[in-house]
Amino acid sequence: MQSFNPPVRTLMGPGPSDVHPRILSAMARPTIGHLDPAFVSMMDETKEGLKTIFKTRNKLTLPVSAPGSAGMETCFSNLVEPDDKVIVCINGVFGMRMKENVTRLGGKAIIVEDNWGEAVSANKLEEALKNNPDASIVAFVHAETSTGAQSDAKTLCKLAHQYDCITIVDAVTSLGGTELRVDEWEIDAIYSGTQKCLSAMPGISPISFGERAIKKLSIRKTPVSSWFLDLNLVMEYWSEGAKRTYHHTAPVNTLYGLHESLVMILKEGIENSWTRHQKNHELLRDGLEAMGINFLVNKKDRLPQLNSVFIPEGVDDVQIRATLLNDYNLEIGAGLGVYAGKIWRIGLMGYASRKENIILCLSALKEILASK
Ligand SMILES: *Cc1c(COP(=O)(O)O)cnc(C)c1O
């Protein structure tokens, strides 16, 4: 065997996105014990940083030691009990995974379906809430990475509360890339990921639980079926102060990476990070539209960090993406489900959301398409 030296790519797909060099070098710092007082104070800073970017005062805000999908499982496995009725809004791949989580936990999923590429419809959600007065949870994806559509989290949460439901929100792609206000929008349980708009490596899932969610957790009739993700136990490791007990060995160096990512975002300012993503989206959009390439999602519901565009007529999807990767070291994403072979998903997430990447992507596409 030999050491693995990956090629140097520009990552403009649906994730992972480019990791900032400062974060890569932070991860190369010496490993220390996960109960070392120096590490514990870094953990406290990390939690504070996460609260700031989530815009929440929730005490139960911490990074789960696993990717975004585990953040999803943490929310569902702690909050859904057998026979709970959960309204799941599906407008893409990740909503489908939420439904899978509910049914595997023995819950009953009520589906609110919207077309892929569209936002979750508040009217349809209200209809489902009216028809299911015994539902206790509403779950939806804020930023559907499979299509590039953004839903109105504030309105959906408000509706859910009017009908006495708590909310589980997927913010894996939205955190850092687009406006998100956990407390103001009254989001009860939320999970995200480090590999999308936080400029960091894959493998950590920041989560936050508010009071309503903690109450639902505390009155459970059955224990959480997952030992690893049971927040009652995880909290004993991540709780304030010195009384930490061993739960699992934290991914020490990966957490250095998250900490550095938070240092950088707080320096930039979270609102400035949203604005940067929006401005860069507009730059890419203008360039693509000038080439006659059109967007899947209507302007109002478009995510700035995930640009879904129709593949031009007569162009070979797989071949173009292979040429981009091999000749330009540039990765963009393929379409999924109904849009496989029909769209490209061009990510402008975190450190990848910068001007030189947009210029590279536009000129590479122009060159390849002109040679067809
Ligand atoms: C990427 C993503 C996930 C899963 O995150 P992983 O880190 O790949 O496990 C979940 N939801 C959405 C909306 C995502 O974009």
Side-chain angles (χ1 to χ4, degrees), residues 12 276 279-281 283-284 348 350-363:
M12 295 178 72
R276 168 169 56 86
K279 290 215 160 113
N280 285 330
H281 155 71
L283 202 62
L284 177 72
L348 287 173
Y351 180 56
S353 175
R354 56 194 208 280
K355 197 168 180 175
E356 58 265 46
N357 282 5
I358 295 165
I359 292 167
L360 168 67
C361 179
L362 289 173
S363 51

Side-chain angles (χ1 to χ4, degrees), residues 14 67-70 72 94 97 141 143-145 170 172-173 191 193 195-196 203:
S69 307
M72 182 187 281
F94 293 100
R97 289 194 181 172
V141 179
E144 234 321 332
T145 325
D170 178 321
V172 175
T173 284
Y191 58 93
Q195 52 138 323
K196 311 268 166 114

Side-chain angles (χ1 to χ4, degrees), residues 66-337:
S69 307
M72 182 187 281
E73 293 229 20
T74 302
C75 289
F76 285 90
S77 61
N78 280 276
L79 296 176
V80 178
E81 283 196 87
D83 300 327
D84 272 354
K85 231 185 199 188
V86 181
I87 299 180
V88 181
C89 305
I90 299 182
N91 62 341
V93 166
F94 293 100
M96 289 164 68
R97 289 194 181 172
M98 286 179 147
K99 172 183 175 243
E100 187 67 25
N101 268 265
V102 171
T103 51
R104 284 185 186 217
L105 289 162
K108 188 169 183 330
I110 307 294
I111 306 304
V112 172
E113 207 156 8
D114 283 288
N115 291 330
W116 285 38
E118 291 174 15
V120 171
S121 149
N123 290 338
K124 285 190 198 168
L125 173 60
E126 181 150 32
E127 182 101 1
L129 285 161
K130 275 185 188 148
N131 293 335
N132 297 279
D134 51 341
S136 55
I137 301 176
V138 168
F140 64 89
V141 179
H142 183 213
E144 234 321 332
T145 325
S146 62
T147 65
Q150 168 161 226
S151 292
D152 181 352
K154 185 180 178 183
T155 301
L156 298 176
C157 288
K158 201 166 171 192
L159 262 178
H161 291 150
Q162 276 167 18
Y163 291 83
D164 283 330
C165 285
I166 63 165
T167 49
I168 297 178
V169 178
D170 178 321
V172 175
T173 284
S174 44
L175 183 65
T178 197
E179 186 178 8
L180 176 64
R181 302 176 185 275
V182 170
D183 285 359
E184 201 182 312
W185 296 355
E186 301 188 345
I187 294 170
D188 299 307
I190 191 164
Y191 58 93
S192 187
T194 40
Q195 52 138 323
K196 311 268 166 114
C197 296
L198 300 188
S199 308
M201 65 289 132
I204 299 284
S205 177
I207 59 158
S208 185
F209 274 47
E211 272 166 31
R212 289 189 195 87
I214 293 172
K215 175 149 182 260
K216 175 110 173 63
L217 173 59
S218 69
I219 59 170
R220 282 184 68 106
K221 294 188 260 345
T222 53
V224 174
S225 60
S226 162
W227 175 85
F228 184 68
L229 301 176
D230 183 347
L231 284 177
N232 294 301
L233 305 174
V234 176
M235 273 188 284
E236 287 169 27
Y237 177 56
W238 276 95
S239 61
E240 307 288 321
K243 54 185 188 300
R244 296 198 194 195
T245 50
Y246 169 65
H247 176 261
H248 65 280
T249 308
V252 171
N253 293 58
T254 315
L255 288 170
Y256 298 164
L258 171 59
H259 183 272
E260 192 68 13
S261 149
L262 292 168
V263 169
M264 290 172 59
I265 293 197
L266 296 184
K267 175 98 202 303
E268 180 181 15
I270 186 70
E271 287 88 354
N272 295 335
S273 178
W274 302 339
T275 308
R276 168 169 56 86
H277 283 84
Q278 180 61 29
K279 290 215 160 113
N280 285 330
H281 155 71
E282 287 165 13
L283 202 62
L284 177 72
R285 175 201 64 199
D286 291 350
L288 289 170
E289 286 181 348
M291 292 165 65
I293 294 177
N294 300 313
F295 277 73
L296 165 68
V297 179
N298 75 45
K299 211 167 172 179
K300 184 173 76 64
D301 301 325
R302 229 174 254 170
L303 279 171
Q305 63 275 53
L306 198 282
N307 298 267
S308 287
V309 294
F310 288 105
I311 299 170
E313 204 74 37
V315 166
D316 185 333
D317 170 31
V318 174
Q319 196 198 336
I320 299 259
R321 280 187 295 108
T323 307
L324 285 172
L325 193 67
N326 297 328
D327 296 356
Y328 299 85
N329 275 310
L330 174 62
E331 180 181 277
I332 65 168
L336 293 177

